[in-house]
């Protein structure tokens, strides 16, 4: 039973360490929005 708890803690610790050091790339897609003319003063 103790061995399972130790293995579980190691897996959780490894997962947290991986997420902390993972360099997630930002989204690079282009965004286009249509803005109505009523939002701007003339």
């Amino acid at each position: 039973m103790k061995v399972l708890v130790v293995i579980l803690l190691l897996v959780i610790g490894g997962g947290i360490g991986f997420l902390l050091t993972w360099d997630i790339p930002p989204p690079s897609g282009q965004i286009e929005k249509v803005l109505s003319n009523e939002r701007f003063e003339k």
Side-chain angles (χ1 to χ4, degrees):
M1 184 67 177
K2 289 182 182 181
V3 174
L4 290 176
V5 172
V6 171
I7 290 173
L8 182 64
L9 288 175
L10 286 174
V11 169
I12 291 173
I16 291 173
F18 172 74
L19 289 175
L20 288 174
T21 58
W22 183 26
D23 189 22
I24 303 172
S28 59
Q30 186 174 1
I31 298 174
E32 293 184 21
K33 276 190 170 183
V34 177
L35 302 175
S36 64
N37 287 334
E38 288 113 20
R39 294 184 64 177
F40 303 102
E41 294 182 16
K42 293 184 179 183

